[in-house]
Amino acid sequence: MSSRVLSFVSLLLCIFPAIAFALHLPLTLTHFDANDPSRDPYQILSYLASSSLARAHHLKNPQITATATSDATTTTPLFSHSYGGYSISLSFGTPPQILPFVMDTGSDFVWFPCTHRYVCKNCSFSPSSDQNVTIPSFIPKLSSSSRLVGCRNPKCSWVHHTNKTQCDECRNSLTTQNCTQACPPYFLLYGLGTTAGVALSETLNLGDRTVSNFLVGCSIFSSRQPAGIAGFGRGLPSLPTQLKLHKFSYCLISRRFDDSPSSSTLILDSTSDMDRKTNGLIYTPFIKNPIVRGKEAFQVYYYVGLRKITVGGRRVKVPRKFLSPGKNGNGGTIVDSGSTFTFMAREIFEPLAVEFVKQVKNYSRARDVEVLTGLRPCFDVKDMGKPVELPELRLHFKGGAEIALPLENYFTVVGEGVACLTVVTDGDVGGGKAVVGHSGPAIVLGSFQMQNYYVEYDLRNQRLGLKPQLCI
């Protein structure tokens, strides 16, 4: 742990008090400002492609942490952001303090920017700006329910994904049972971004409900993290686990890469019947997560059984070993709301791209745009006299579930009539040579591909439900 982080932790000891349903939430998308002439559409796509690839690298090679209920249904607005995420607002503390959180199904920890001294480097909403921005922070001194988590608290092990005690300073003490050492600081990676801080026990306010002793991270330093993160993954510290949810669901509004106050809805449900299916949804079961020593994050992901991919009705030839996770954790498909564009291992992406190129006869390749955006293949479709026609992309899942993606979910039009496939793979971005490698999931289904789909995570019955729906 760096001396900078440790100095922040020392500072917190002076800031904190002493240690002693269905909910409907808005899900919001905040876009780049279309009126800002500096927002180059090629640059935007290149940034999102780069961040998606960096996210995939993190998910495939995770480094999680480094250290020196009630029956109700709640909904909340869900907003989207130009940096690739969708956010909700959550209220913590006594009295409540409301902050935005990125909804992330690929991680399992909840944290917020914390204290007046919070520092965030390169956290501008613009991909081209290195300027620091002011980000709302939680102020522990203003909350009577804020408590630092002690090293002997079982929730401390949740933070660090280990069953071992975190009381290093007290091991050789004669007063081990009365040890007051705080839980060691955390350091988390999210692809391009990082955050560091300490564990806090706080009250979460959900409408007219309160959840006491909720484990949340108090981050005091971050990089490239424009907001806190609400981890919705399968781990113990995740929001669904701590709330004992039976299911949660959302509908992601369309991305237009412009400024919009629109939002859709995230539903947190702890009242659902055991086997009841939601009308109109097709289901595919979650499959068993691989257990790999040193890659505990794999157990947090939502793996689904993707059986095949078709382009224009033709099956893409994908090596079988990439479709199911092996004992070493390599292969398989996960659903990740924290990724923008879908990632595919090169062995899957190449035959997919070849099939598109083979079937697209009426448009020429726009290779100059491919270089600018890091996306491929791109086609010149600017003949506006006719509607754009490109081959259908269909995903076939275990259990018979299929989704035929709308064209706008896998191609985006950029510049003067150029359509690019919004799937990334190893080393493609900006002509770079970075290789993600074969470790971890072979496919990461990103949020761009899930636009205007109602997505349900049925945790009680271990299945994912899907249906096309206009997300308004």
Side-chain angles (χ1 to χ4, degrees), residues 21-23 69-74 206 208-211 243-246 268-273 460:
F21 83 166
L23 178 65
T69 83
S70 134
D71 293 334
T73 298
T74 309
L206 292 172
D208 57 355
R209 301 169 55 204
T210 59
V211 181
L243 294 183
K244 298 180 173 60
L245 297 182
H246 294 170
L268 309 178
D269 189 354
S270 57
T271 63
S272 60
D273 296 336
R460 192 165 185 175

Side-chain angles (χ1 to χ4, degrees), residues 152-424:
R152 299 185 65 82
N153 189 323
K155 291 183 179 179
C156 181
S157 65
W158 295 4
V159 180
H160 300 286
H161 293 82
T162 177
N163 293 324
K164 297 179 181 179
T165 179
Q166 299 295 308
C167 297
D168 292 339
E169 293 179 13
C170 300
R171 246 168 228 170
N172 299 322
S173 171
L174 297 177
T175 59
T176 300
Q177 296 301 319
N178 297 320
C179 179
T180 58
Q181 179 191 343
C183 184
Y186 58 81
F187 183 77
L188 305 175
L189 306 179
Y190 295 96
L192 289 176
T194 60
T195 193
V198 294
L200 184 67
S201 176
E202 187 50 282
T203 295
L204 171 62
N205 307 285
L206 292 172
D208 57 355
R209 301 169 55 204
T210 59
V211 181
S212 302
N213 300 316
F214 189 96
L215 174 66
V216 62
C218 168
S219 283
I220 47 187
F221 175 81
S222 296
S223 173
R224 298 183 182 273
Q225 293 297 134
I229 289 181
F232 273 71
R234 285 171 149 175
L236 291 173
S238 77
L239 190 142
T241 302
Q242 291 199 66
L243 294 183
K244 298 180 173 60
L245 297 182
H246 294 170
K247 65 173 65 172
F248 66 91
S249 56
Y250 53 74
C251 196
L252 303 181
I253 59 176
S254 299
R255 293 184 175 279
R256 296 183 181 87
F257 307 117
D258 58 5
D259 221 5
S260 172
S262 301
S263 67
S264 53
T265 301
L266 169 69
I267 302 175
L268 309 178
D269 189 354
S270 57
T271 63
S272 60
D273 296 336
M274 175 69 80
D275 297 316
R276 183 179 179 182
K277 294 184 177 181
T278 302
N279 290 336
L281 264 63
I282 54 174
Y283 287 92
T284 185
F286 292 128
I287 63 176
K288 186 177 181 181
N289 294 43
I291 300 175
V292 182
R293 186 174 182 181
K295 299 290 179 69
E296 286 76 14
F298 293 169
Q299 298 174 53
V300 172
Y301 305 155
Y302 292 100
Y303 281 86
V304 290
L306 183 62
R307 294 177 51 250
K308 65 178 179 179
I309 304 170
T310 57
V311 172
R314 297 179 184 176
R315 183 168 186 164
V316 177
K317 294 182 179 180
V318 176
R320 204 167 209 24
K321 66 178 181 179
F322 290 98
L323 292 180
S324 298
K327 292 182 179 179
N328 57 2
N330 301 338
T333 300
I334 67 171
V335 182
D336 178 39
S337 67
S339 295
T340 302
F341 298 146
T342 287
F343 167 86
M344 292 185 180
R346 186 168 291 276
E347 291 83 353
I348 303 173
F349 175 83
E350 292 297 350
L352 177 80
V354 166
E355 192 59 50
F356 272 109
V357 172
K358 186 186 300 183
Q359 293 189 34
V360 176
K361 305 292 186 182
N362 49 339
Y363 305 118
S364 59
R365 289 283 291 276
R367 296 184 184 276
D368 55 337
V369 176
E370 293 176 6
V371 173
L372 289 171
T373 63
L375 298 172
R376 65 180 174 95
C378 295
F379 301 101
D380 186 345
V381 297
K382 63 174 166 283
D383 183 4
M384 295 303 176
K386 299 178 182 178
V388 176
E389 294 183 2
L390 291 166
E392 176 195 76
L393 176 60
R394 187 179 290 259
L395 305 178
H396 306 252
F397 295 94
K398 185 177 180 181
E402 296 181 8
I403 56 173
L405 293 175
L407 184 59
E408 60 270 20
N409 282 30
Y410 59 101
F411 271 94
T412 187
V413 176
V414 61
E416 297 182 0
V418 174
C420 295
L421 179 68
T422 51
V423 178
V424 298

Side-chain angles (χ1 to χ4, degrees), residues 17 92-95 97 138-147 202-203:
F92 281 93
T94 309
Q97 300 177 44
F138 183 86
I139 310 302
K141 274 189 173 181
L142 300 180
S143 173
S144 62
S145 51
S146 289
R147 297 289 184 274
E202 187 50 282
T203 295

